[in-house]
């Protein structure tokens, strides 16, 4: 068990008292009187405070803000029927400085306020400031001192990265605030903020001792972690959002970012050979796949309640459809299914269509398309049995005509599912999917209670399935599924990956593109795409996810064990979704042969829709597409699109629900009004209305 995962956030909570934030939301995190401030005048106190920095990053995955801040309102995800954070997706009026509450138009009080990230990041910054200020004189052991400083510079740089990426220019507080209240803050420019981020990450990069895992192999921050985020910060500073002032930085930033990426790649070795090992093959708490060399940074969780913090890991809630409520109720939810059906993040048409459905294994190792019957309903004229396929999601493409004319839906609507000519759909008359076969059912006439399809007659029909205005029936992703939970709504225990080499290769490829080195960029892209290919001997119809951790769960007994077996059938709809493909275990080929000309058809379709024409635009949009295929749901899509100046165009093109997104406004988040209202002039007077307006981002 990794040591740091058991460290509570006592120190972070205490340092919150010293924070520059005006909010008190997190001051009750733990007992804050356990340690006096004098404890941090000792080497042990600063070492303990350094270890506690890991607790600050757990916050990102503890509640609704995980997806609202990072995934909503982009080209990849939109909202389903649950409207908790709808405003983050639609850019409605309740996404504003006053916060998202029922009084400002939010659906409920669980909605994420724009102040959430602001408050929490400054807590971590306060702790880092204390270490940076005191370690040079308090810690005499050079190695220990450098480790503490490396961690503090890294977290401060990371937290300011997140703040600047979301809000633009923010308050730069780089010295501790002790035994006083400061309220006459100055908002720094975005340029100065990126200078601070890059300086901190450079310091961390220089101070880390290579790939020395101070608190546990494979999970803690190292020189490669700092290198990865240094590259991201350099790339952000010199990307399109900052074109008004960044021209003097660009070439040097790109070259330094390439060098930083190259260190991370060379120091950690090759990518994990099987994409499934990163997410799908999660077998339980602290399993070996959480220690893969590809993982550069993760928020650590485990089964110890002390490690959960205030919220714990709630990410398993947000990516599944509402499978338990589909008419007929054939699939009951529970701890035996690794996700909850809170239907927050519904993939867009783009997120399905950007994949090569036949040759890209990532699609079928990421999307969950089959649920088994774990509850037989009555009446049951079709003799559905426990363990039969209960929910089937066919991810066909726009040119597929196989399912034209069929009525898809649920048992109570259409128990025979015949087309206008009285024919049963193909999936009803095939043989049951076995370990090496591609069909889905075991006998002629086998009935599946619920099924959906993406396209009929070339029309994307998935969003209006069952005549819903917003569909709650979709194929969600499995990257957070966790069968180790000790209750249906209990906290997840798996780590959340925050950085890995798959992204590092794509960052370096983007830098090469911006330097005009398209051949080098293609080489890096092909490293990522080669891993994504089907390997010889792979069963393309096999599927698994983190539900399998239930096999080691002490609750895996009796009815729960039966429900686990019946619910998780380890199959997908690959062959139903690609009806012209014969069953095969041959390898596929995804490698590019030219770049950025003659791209795959799925990429050319996206590029045409967004109107990209120059080599640079084509290459950049291809990399954004590849980031979707490689990193779908991995918590940084909004920042990536905002950075590259593509947020408005791609959200409008691919997310119909993002209907209020506005240029020159929504590329940044609103500064929390509660903070602005608390700022004073140097003479102690309140800010004027004009001064408050000057603090706020444009359009808010």
């Amino acid at each position: 068990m990794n040591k740091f995962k058991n460290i509570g956030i006592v120190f972070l909570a205490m340092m919150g008292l010293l924070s520059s934030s005006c909010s008190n939301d997190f001051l009750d995190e733990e007992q804050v009187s356990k340690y006096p401030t004098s404890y941090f005048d000792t080497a042990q106190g600063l070492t303990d405070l350094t270890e506690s920095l890991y607790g600050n990053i757990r916050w990102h995955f503890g509640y609704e803000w995980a997806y609202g801040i990072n995934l909503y309102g982009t080209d990849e995800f939109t909202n389903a029927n649950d409207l908790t954070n709808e405003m983050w997706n639609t850019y409605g009026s309740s996404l504003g400085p006053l916060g998202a509450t029922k009084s400002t138009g939010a659906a409920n009080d669980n909605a994420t306020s724009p102040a959430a990230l602001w408050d929490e990041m400054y807590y971590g910054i306060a702790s880092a400031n204390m270490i940076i200020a005191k370690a040079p004189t308090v810690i005499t052991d050079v190695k220990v001192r450098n480790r503490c400083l490396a961690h503090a510079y890294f977290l401060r740089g990371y937290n300011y990265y997140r703040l600047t990426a979301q809000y633009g220019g923010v308050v730069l507080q780089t010295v501790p605030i002790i035994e006083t209240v400061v309220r006459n803050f100055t908002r720094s420019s975005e340029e100065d903020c990126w200078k601070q981020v890059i300086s901190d990450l450079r310091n961390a990069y220089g101070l880390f001792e290579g790939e020395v895992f101070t608190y546990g192999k494979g999970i803690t921050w190292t020189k490669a972690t700092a290198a990865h985020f240094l590259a991201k910060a350099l790339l952000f500073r010199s990307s399109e959002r900052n074109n008004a002032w960044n021209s003097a930085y660009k070439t040097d930033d790109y070259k330094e970012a390439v060098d930083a990426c190259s260190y991370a790649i060379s120091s950690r070795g090759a990518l994990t050979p099987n994409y499934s090992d990163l997410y799908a093959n999660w077998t339980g708490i602290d399993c070996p796949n959480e220690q893969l060399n590809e993982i550069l940074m993760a928020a650590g969780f485990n089964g110890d309640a002390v490690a959960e913090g205030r919220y714990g890991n709630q990410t398993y809630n947000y990516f599944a459809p509402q499978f338990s409520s589909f008419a007929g109720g054939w699939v009951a939810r529970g701890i035996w299914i690794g996700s909850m059906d809170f239907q927050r993040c519904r993939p867009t048409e783009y997120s399905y269509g950007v994949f090569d459905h036949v040759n890209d294994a990532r699609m079928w190792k990421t999307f969950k398309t089959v649920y088994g019957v774990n509850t037989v309903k009555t009446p049951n004229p079709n003799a559905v049995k426990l363990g039969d396929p209960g929910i089937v999601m066919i991810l066909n493409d726009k040119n597929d005509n196989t399912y034209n004319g069929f009525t898809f839906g649920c048992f109570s609507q259409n128990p025979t599912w015949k087309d206008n000519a009285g024919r049963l759909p193909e999936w009803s008359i095939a043989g049951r999917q076995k370990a090496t076969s591609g069909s889905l059912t075991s006998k002629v006439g086998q009935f599946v209670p619920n099924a959906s399809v993406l396209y009929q007659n070339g029309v994307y029909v998935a969003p209006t399935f069952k005549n819903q205005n917003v569909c709650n029936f979709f194929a969600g992703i499995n990257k957070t599924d966790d069968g180790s939970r000790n209750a249906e709504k209990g906290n997840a225990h798996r780590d959340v990956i925050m950085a890995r080499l798959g992204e590092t290769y794509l960052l370096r490829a983007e830098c090469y593109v911006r330097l005009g080195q398209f051949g080098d960029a293609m080489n890096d892209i092909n490293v990522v795409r080669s891993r994504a290919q089907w390997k010889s001997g792979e069963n393309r119809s096999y599927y698994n996810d983190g539900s399998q951790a239930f096999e080691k769960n002490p609750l895996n007994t009796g009815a729960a064990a039966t429900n686990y077996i019946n619910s998780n059938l380890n199959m997908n709809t690959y062959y139903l979704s690609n009806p012209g493909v014969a069953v095969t275990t041959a390898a596929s080929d995804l490698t590019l042969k030219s770049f950025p000309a003659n791209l795959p058809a799925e990429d050319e379709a996206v590029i045409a829709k967004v109107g990209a024409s120059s080599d640079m635009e084509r290459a950049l949009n291809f990399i954004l597409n590849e980031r979707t295929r490689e990193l779908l749901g991995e918590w940084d899509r909004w920042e990536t699109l905002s950075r590259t100046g593509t947020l408005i165009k791609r959200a409008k093109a691919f997310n119909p629900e993002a209907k209020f997104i506005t240029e020159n406004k929504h590329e940044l988040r609103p500064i929390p009004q509660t903070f602005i209202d608390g700022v004073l002039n140097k003479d102690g007077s309140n800010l004027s209305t004009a001064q408050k307006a000057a603090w706020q981002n444009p359009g808010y």
Side-chain angles (χ1 to χ4, degrees):
M1 183 177 292
N2 293 323
K3 176 182 178 184
F4 94 91
K5 288 186 179 180
N6 288 308
I7 298 170
I9 54 178
V10 169
F11 296 107
L12 283 172
M14 181 172 182
M15 297 313 296
L17 292 170
L18 313 177
S19 168
S20 59
S21 170
C22 293
S23 170
N24 293 325
D25 290 349
F26 290 86
L27 298 188
D28 59 353
E29 186 79 49
E30 295 283 352
Q31 293 180 0
V32 298
S33 59
K34 185 176 182 180
Y35 296 97
T37 56
S38 60
Y39 184 60
F40 303 117
D41 291 322
T42 69
Q44 186 61 52
L46 290 181
T47 300
D48 289 344
L49 184 58
T50 299
E51 293 187 14
S52 80
L53 297 180
Y54 286 98
N56 187 235
I57 64 173
R58 295 190 192 111
W59 171 88
H60 294 285
F61 310 106
Y63 209 53
E64 306 277 350
W65 48 71
Y67 67 90
I69 292 172
N70 299 304
L71 302 178
Y72 260 8
T74 69
D75 50 1
E76 292 183 346
F77 288 101
T78 187
N79 56 273
N81 275 330
D82 185 276
L83 303 181
T84 295
N85 267 328
E86 179 192 26
M87 71 295 300
W88 290 85
N89 186 54
T90 65
Y91 297 91
S93 59
S94 54
L95 181 64
L98 295 178
T101 64
K102 290 181 73 173
S103 63
T104 62
N108 56 63
D109 287 330
N110 290 329
T112 297
S113 168
L117 183 75
W118 181 282
D119 291 339
E120 190 65 22
M121 293 303 92
Y122 279 111
Y123 289 160
I125 288 167
S127 298
N129 285 342
M130 182 70 73
I131 296 165
I132 291 168
K134 291 180 175 289
T137 56
V138 171
I139 303 176
T140 58
D141 186 308
V142 174
K143 180 174 286 190
V144 174
R145 180 172 67 231
N146 286 348
R147 285 179 178 175
C148 290
L149 286 171
H151 280 77
Y153 277 119
F154 175 77
L155 184 74
R156 191 171 74 178
Y158 175 79
N159 281 11
Y160 273 126
Y161 176 98
R162 292 300 312 278
L163 286 168
T164 308
Q166 291 280 332
Y167 302 100
V170 296
V171 175
L172 289 178
Q173 181 65 43
T174 57
V175 296
I177 300 175
I178 302 176
E179 297 178 355
T180 187
V181 176
V182 177
R183 294 179 65 180
N184 59 329
F185 298 109
T186 300
R187 185 179 180 186
S188 297
S189 68
E190 196 159 2
E191 181 176 8
D192 285 342
C193 289
W194 285 117
K195 284 181 180 178
Q196 184 64 51
V197 171
I198 291 166
S199 174
D200 282 347
L201 293 174
R202 281 173 177 160
N203 284 334
Y205 181 65
L207 287 165
F208 274 121
E209 309 162 63
E211 300 314 288
V212 176
F213 299 96
T214 312
Y215 299 113
K217 178 171 172 55
I219 190 63
T220 53
W221 310 333
T222 68
K223 189 179 184 75
T225 314
H228 178 91
F229 282 98
L230 174 58
K232 291 190 75 166
L234 290 161
L235 191 53
F236 208 129
R237 178 167 70 176
S238 290
S239 289
E240 285 74 7
R241 196 176 89 179
N242 299 320
N243 273 350
W245 52 262
N246 65 11
S247 59
Y249 297 103
K250 290 193 174 187
T251 300
D252 289 342
D253 279 359
Y254 300 149
K255 290 179 178 179
E256 184 179 357
V258 166
D259 290 342
C261 289
S262 297
Y263 170 78
I265 290 167
S266 63
S267 66
R268 288 299 187 95
L271 297 181
T272 300
N274 185 356
Y275 188 80
S276 286
D277 288 340
L278 291 166
Y279 299 103
N281 293 335
W282 190 75
T283 57
I285 299 171
D286 294 335
C287 69
N289 284 359
E290 291 190 343
Q291 310 300 321
L292 297 170
N293 283 339
E294 179 170 342
I295 300 172
L296 300 174
M297 182 180 179
F301 295 90
N302 63 15
D304 192 330
V306 176
E308 292 180 349
R310 183 177 182 181
Y311 294 99
N313 179 355
Q314 293 290 314
T315 57
Y316 69 93
N317 286 308
Y318 303 132
F319 295 101
Q322 201 171 23
F323 56 81
S324 67
S325 69
F326 297 154
W330 299 92
V331 182
R333 68 188 188 188
I335 47 176
W336 50 83
I337 296 179
S339 58
M340 282 286 284
D341 57 352
F342 283 11
Q343 47 147 350
R344 300 297 202 264
C345 295
R346 175 168 60 95
T348 62
E349 180 182 8
Y350 159 83
S351 287
Y352 298 125
V354 75
F355 286 90
D356 179 332
H357 288 210
V358 175
N359 296 306
D360 197 328
R362 291 172 298 192
M363 181 174 194
W364 302 101
K365 295 177 179 180
T366 298
F367 288 104
K368 185 180 179 79
T369 57
V370 177
Y371 294 78
V373 171
N374 60 34
T375 302
V376 173
K377 308 299 290 186
T378 55
N380 182 12
N382 291 280
V384 176
K385 297 182 177 62
L386 292 173
D388 281 347
I391 300 171
V392 174
M393 301 172 188
I394 299 171
L395 307 185
N396 61 337
D397 64 36
K398 191 170 186 176
N399 298 319
D400 174 44
N401 295 310
T402 304
Y403 304 106
N404 294 351
F406 288 99
T407 300
F408 288 91
C410 60
F411 166 72
S412 62
Q413 286 183 319
N414 195 335
T416 57
W417 280 353
K418 295 178 180 179
D419 69 2
N420 294 333
R423 296 171 301 184
L424 288 168
E426 178 180 326
W427 50 262
S428 277
I429 56 176
R432 165 163 293 184
Q433 176 167 309
K434 300 295 185 182
T436 58
S437 72
S439 52
L440 189 66
T441 56
S442 62
K443 61 184 181 181
V444 173
Q446 172 70 50
F447 183 77
V448 179
N450 299 272
S452 69
V453 66
L454 293 183
Y455 291 96
Q456 290 181 305
N457 300 301
V459 176
Y460 185 57
V461 296
T464 56
F465 174 72
K466 288 166 51 180
N467 298 315
Q468 298 178 97
N469 291 327
V470 179
C471 187
N472 63 353
F473 192 177
F474 53 85
I477 67 171
N478 64 12
K479 292 182 176 180
T480 60
D481 284 9
D482 185 343
S484 73
R485 308 189 319 275
N486 56 20
E488 183 182 19
K489 298 182 181 180
N491 285 325
H493 303 124
R494 66 184 296 173
D495 295 347
V496 182
I497 297 174
M498 302 174 72
R500 57 183 179 83
L501 287 183
E503 183 189 18
T504 314
Y505 273 103
L506 295 177
L507 291 172
R508 190 169 71 175
E510 185 179 338
C511 291
Y512 282 139
V513 163
R514 294 178 182 277
L515 290 167
Q517 300 170 219
F518 292 108
D520 291 328
M522 185 175 74
N523 290 338
D524 277 349
I525 292 166
N526 278 340
V527 171
V528 176
R529 288 175 68 86
S530 293
R531 195 255 299 273
Q533 299 166 170
W534 293 109
K535 307 302 186 295
S536 178
E538 276 196 285
N539 174 15
R540 300 187 185 190
S541 61
Y542 177 77
Y543 168 87
N544 67 345
D545 60 38
S547 300
Q548 67 192 301
F550 192 67
E551 295 173 7
K552 299 178 181 178
N553 192 321
L555 300 178
N556 183 17
T557 60
T562 301
N563 280 331
Y564 168 70
I565 294 170
N566 291 329
S567 304
N568 298 280
L569 304 185
N570 295 336
M571 61 175 67
N572 63 39
T573 62
Y574 176 88
Y575 290 103
L576 296 177
S577 303
N578 299 295
V581 175
V583 176
T584 180
T585 57
S588 62
D589 183 9
L590 283 180
T591 56
L592 300 179
K593 307 303 186 291
S594 64
F595 182 74
N598 302 316
L599 296 172
E602 56 271 13
D603 292 287
E604 293 289 1
V606 171
I607 287 169
K609 190 160 187 176
V610 299
S613 56
S614 69
D615 282 352
M616 168 64 183
E617 289 174 329
R618 287 174 57 83
L620 178 59
N621 277 279
F622 176 87
I623 289 173
L624 292 174
N625 295 348
E626 194 63 36
R627 287 182 67 93
T628 294
R629 292 182 284 254
E630 179 70 17
L631 305 168
L632 182 64
E634 295 186 35
W635 315 111
D636 75 342
R637 188 61 172 184
W638 187 91
E639 292 174 2
T640 299
L641 296 187
S642 177
R643 168 178 70 79
T644 55
T646 60
L647 174 65
I648 306 298
K649 182 174 288 189
R650 289 180 72 106
K652 285 185 174 180
F654 303 117
N655 186 346
E657 282 73 45
K659 53 191 172 183
F660 301 116
I661 193 168
T662 304
E663 195 170 3
N664 300 320
K665 175 180 179 179
H666 288 125
E667 297 92 340
L668 297 173
R669 306 303 196 184
I671 304 297
Q673 193 64 41
T674 52
F675 176 82
I676 295 175
D677 289 343
V679 176
L680 302 177
N681 291 310
K682 288 185 177 181
D683 63 3
S685 62
N686 293 322
L687 298 185
S688 67
T689 301
Q691 286 175 312
K692 288 183 179 183
W695 265 89
Q696 192 51 264
N697 280 325
Y700 293 104

